[in-house]
Amino acid sequence: MFWTAHDAGGWLGMALGVIVFLGLLITLILALRSMARPAKSKKNTLPSSTITPPPEQRPAERLARDENDKDEYKKRLAALHTHRPDLPNT
């Protein structure tokens, strides 16, 4: 039908239709992929670099690297655990 017509209206419409169809297909695939992923946990939202280790860990690491002996380790732990009157009790 209309084989002798020289306008590009049919080709242009078909090309736009294919582009719209492929765009919708890609959008559908991406939406299905995002829904299939497991939800992220809310309790561990901070990066690991912002989590501060307990104060006892640093003297223990120094003891493990042989930078301090046991007496120095015990002295530092005692200093960490002594009550300071200028700090509130927690």
Side-chain angles (χ1 to χ4, degrees):
M1 184 172 175
F2 303 113
W3 288 100
T4 59
H6 295 291
D7 62 357
W11 291 102
L12 183 63
M14 190 167 41
L16 288 176
V18 168
I19 291 172
V20 169
F21 173 74
L22 289 176
L24 289 173
L25 187 65
I26 291 171
T27 303
L28 177 68
I29 290 171
L30 292 176
L32 289 175
R33 272 185 70 196
S34 69
M35 289 189 318
R37 290 183 186 155
K40 290 185 178 180
S41 174
K42 296 283 184 183
K43 61 183 175 182
N44 288 335
T45 57
L46 292 176
S48 62
S49 63
T50 60
I51 298 173
T52 57
E56 292 87 3
Q57 184 174 350
R58 185 169 287 177
E61 289 173 355
R62 287 182 179 172
L63 180 66
R65 289 190 304 253
D66 288 332
E67 292 178 8
N68 293 335
D69 57 351
K70 285 187 180 182
D71 294 331
E72 182 71 21
Y73 172 72
K74 288 178 184 178
K75 185 174 91 171
R76 288 180 186 269
L77 278 183
L80 284 173
H81 294 290
T82 58
H83 175 72
R84 291 182 52 189
D86 57 337
L87 294 177
N89 288 335
T90 56

